[in-house]
Amino acid sequence: MRLAIIAAVLAALAAGAAAVRSHLIGVGEARTQARWDKQKAIDQAETLRLERERSADQLIKFRNAERISDEQAKRPPPAAIPDLSPSLKVPPPQESFLEAATKLSSDWLQKLTASGTK
């Protein structure tokens, strides 16, 4: 009889422990799901914010393109602009320092050798 009572008490303790364990697991799952849902809401809000920024940037680009095209339409046609290229001619390049120094030293060397042979 004692053995049956001890077995019944142990079975009740095991059932109670299983119930407590199940409850704690459920609480943990609920907390995890709540954290998951909270992070998902944060991610969705950030995605929405970024999408709004992108659409605002696209709107700014579109308005800038419209403004630029309006400004270009107001400009005179290219034929009405005078040709300034003759007045912008680049002068021919002058001797470099190295070329001038080489010429000077060769002239000096020729004079030196000519005076030495006399």
Side-chain angles (χ1 to χ4, degrees):
M1 179 89 168
R2 281 189 204 173
L3 195 58
I5 295 173
I6 293 174
V9 170
L10 287 176
L13 284 175
V20 169
R21 179 178 177 268
S22 176
H23 170 73
L24 293 178
I25 289 174
V27 169
E29 286 177 351
R31 287 181 183 165
T32 302
Q33 187 64 42
R35 278 191 237 126
W36 179 269
D37 292 342
K38 182 180 177 183
Q39 185 61 44
K40 190 173 182 180
I42 290 170
D43 291 345
Q44 287 175 344
E46 183 66 15
T47 301
L48 182 62
R49 185 186 68 79
L50 291 173
E51 185 61 35
R52 285 182 181 158
E53 281 182 11
R54 267 188 244 116
S55 65
D57 288 344
Q58 291 297 325
L59 180 63
I60 290 170
K61 288 178 185 177
F62 178 73
R63 287 183 179 164
N64 284 341
E66 280 184 332
R67 181 182 50 81
I68 290 169
S69 66
D70 288 344
E71 288 174 358
Q72 288 176 346
K74 291 177 185 175
R75 290 184 186 157
I81 298 174
D83 185 20
L84 300 175
S85 57
S87 64
L88 297 176
K89 286 189 178 176
V90 178
Q94 302 202 357
E95 279 184 319
S96 69
F97 176 76
L98 184 59
E99 291 170 343
T102 305
K103 189 186 289 183
L104 186 63
S105 64
S106 65
D107 289 346
W108 179 77
L109 189 58
Q110 285 177 355
K111 287 181 184 176
L112 186 65
T113 55
S115 66
T117 57
K118 290 184 182 178

